[in-house]
């Protein structure tokens, strides 16, 4: 048997539980993976609340991104072997917060030796989101990128990517995250009331791109700062960004391999801020759900 963290009904954290299941067996084109680390993302609790994917069977395994070691190959898999270290998004329905899971071979990327498993587990969702968000609309060096939610895992990586491309990065986050946002080279702006006025003091003529990682009223408050509403991208709130004239984040197939290379060469630090054992997955999810987590929260099964 193999342990997996699930939610048993749509709702709050009281529906979460660690259960046993048979170790997943790979289907056509899939890799069986012994999980070494799994990144925690806001989408994990949003799925549990019923905001997304309400049609999935229960109990539903949680977690979207992993790094680990290949333990078996499904039919038709080329380019991977048992024992390979990989990272990737999990096959829907199997979960990352687990001792064992499945990853499609076409979604997997070989884990470079230079990247630790904990860092690698932040790349398939958070890292790829940061990469796509900073490349969906191309900026020129010196142009201004405003990141709303700059203190989380995606925001910190996006700010570092902006630095690599020589953008002028402005990061909005809570006051407690000032130091870590500034460490990326971004100009920090505290969130809260009158945030737009504080940004205008830095960028009186507006910004060239807004990357939104928060959504809702927070996005509405800063939307007027962009020189063109079409230059608002949201990874958090597709309805609001569309209403404002911007676009939801568009995911690409090349982002995972590209951001893996950037991290391999130490140009971006995933900023893993806390590690939790699988038995404490509920605490890890709660840390992200609180909205106060800095950087990336990662779960490591005891067998890692």
């Amino acid at each position: 048997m193999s342990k997996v963290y699930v939610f048993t009904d749509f709702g709050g954290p009281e529906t979460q539980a660690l259960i046993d299941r048979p170790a997943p067996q790979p289907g056509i084109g899939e890799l069986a993976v012994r999980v070494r680390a799994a990144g925690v993302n806001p989408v994990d609790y949003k799925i549990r609340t019923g905001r997304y994917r309400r049609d999935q069977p229960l109990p539903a395994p949680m977690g979207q991104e992993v790094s680990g070691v290949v333990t078996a190959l499904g039919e038709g898999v080329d380019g991977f072997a048992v024992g390979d270290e990989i990272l990737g998004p999990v096959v829907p329905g199997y979960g990352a917060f687990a001792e064992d899971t499945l990853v499609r071979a076409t979604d997997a990327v070989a884990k470079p030796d230079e990247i630790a498993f904990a860092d690698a587990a932040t790349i398939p969702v958070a890292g790829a989101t940061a990469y796509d968000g900073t490349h969906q609309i191309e900026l020129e060096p010196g142009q201004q990128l405003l990141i709303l939610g700059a203190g989380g895992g995606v925001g910190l990586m996006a700010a570092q990517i902006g630095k690599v491309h020589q953008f002028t990065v402005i990061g909005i986050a809570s006051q407690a995250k000032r130091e870590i946002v500034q460490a990326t080279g971004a100009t920090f702006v505290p969130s809260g009331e009158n945030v737009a006025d504080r940004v205008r003091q830095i960028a009186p003529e507006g910004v060239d791109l807004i990357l939104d990682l928060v959504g809702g009223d927070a996005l509405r408050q800063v939307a007027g700062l962009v020189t063109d509403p079409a230059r608002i991208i949201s990874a958090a709130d597709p309805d609001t960004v569309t209403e404002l004239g911007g676009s939801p984040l568009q995911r690409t197939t090349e982002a995972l391999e590209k951001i893996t290379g950037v991290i391999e060469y130490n140009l971006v630090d995933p900023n893993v801020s806390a590690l939790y054992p699988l038995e404490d997955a509920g605490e890890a999810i709660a840390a992200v759900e609180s909205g106060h987590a800095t950087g990336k929260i990662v779960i490591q099964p005891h067998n890692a």
Side-chain angles (χ1 to χ4, degrees):
M1 300 295 283
S2 179
K3 295 186 182 299
V4 60
Y5 201 75
V6 303
F7 63 89
T8 57
D9 199 1
F10 294 102
E14 69 280 358
T15 69
Q16 298 169 175
L18 185 64
I19 66 172
D20 289 314
R21 69 175 175 188
Q25 299 303 306
I28 297 173
E30 295 175 344
L31 307 172
V33 177
R34 175 60 56 91
V35 177
R36 295 293 299 273
V40 185
N41 296 283
V43 70
D44 298 320
Y45 69 80
K46 291 178 181 178
I47 292 172
R48 186 207 66 220
T49 63
R51 183 170 174 180
Y52 308 121
R53 307 181 192 171
R54 287 195 68 98
D55 58 345
Q56 63 184 317
L58 299 173
M62 302 184 72
Q64 314 296 313
E65 57 181 353
V66 298
S67 63
V69 179
V70 176
T71 57
L73 307 176
E75 182 182 346
V77 171
D78 292 317
F80 292 98
V82 171
D84 284 353
E85 297 177 352
I86 63 99
L87 57 101
V90 299
V91 173
Y94 287 91
F97 308 157
E99 292 178 329
D100 300 277
T101 193
L102 300 179
V103 175
R104 293 191 182 102
T106 53
D107 292 339
V109 169
K111 185 189 78 65
D113 293 339
E114 294 80 2
I115 303 179
F117 279 107
D119 287 341
T122 73
I123 299 175
V125 173
T129 297
Y131 186 90
D132 282 335
T134 52
H135 288 79
Q136 186 166 320
I137 295 174
E138 296 290 347
L139 295 182
E140 298 295 329
Q143 287 191 294
Q144 292 175 317
L145 166 64
L146 177 65
I147 302 173
L148 179 58
V154 176
L156 291 170
M157 283 193 268
Q160 293 173 81
I161 293 169
K163 181 180 180 180
V164 170
H165 289 287
Q166 300 181 341
F167 304 153
T168 299
V169 181
I170 301 170
I172 297 174
S174 64
Q175 186 66 244
K177 300 178 182 180
R178 173 187 287 272
E179 186 174 339
I180 195 168
V181 171
Q182 290 178 330
T184 69
T187 299
F188 172 80
V189 175
S191 56
E193 189 176 355
N194 300 321
V195 63
D197 293 338
R198 291 191 287 276
V199 174
R200 285 193 184 96
Q201 292 176 6
I202 300 166
E205 296 182 4
V207 300
D208 299 292
L209 177 64
I210 294 176
L211 175 57
D212 165 53
L213 306 170
V214 179
D217 289 339
L219 174 56
R220 295 181 191 280
Q221 288 179 48
V222 301
L225 295 166
V226 73
T227 54
D228 179 353
R231 287 174 166 257
I232 306 173
I233 298 169
S234 180
D237 192 340
D239 293 336
T240 298
V241 74
T242 301
E243 174 190 322
L244 293 169
S247 302
L249 179 75
Q250 298 173 8
R251 301 192 178 276
T252 64
T253 56
E254 68 268 16
L256 181 55
E257 188 169 359
K258 294 279 191 181
I259 188 62
T260 299
V262 172
I263 292 172
E264 178 184 1
Y265 289 103
N266 295 314
L267 297 173
V268 168
D269 179 356
N271 281 291
V272 174
S273 59
L275 299 171
Y276 290 81
L278 182 58
E279 290 75 11
D280 294 335
E283 294 180 26
I285 297 165
V288 174
E289 193 165 3
S290 73
H292 301 305
T294 299
K296 280 291 292 184
I297 304 294
V298 171
I299 292 169
Q300 289 187 311
H302 64 81
N303 61 4

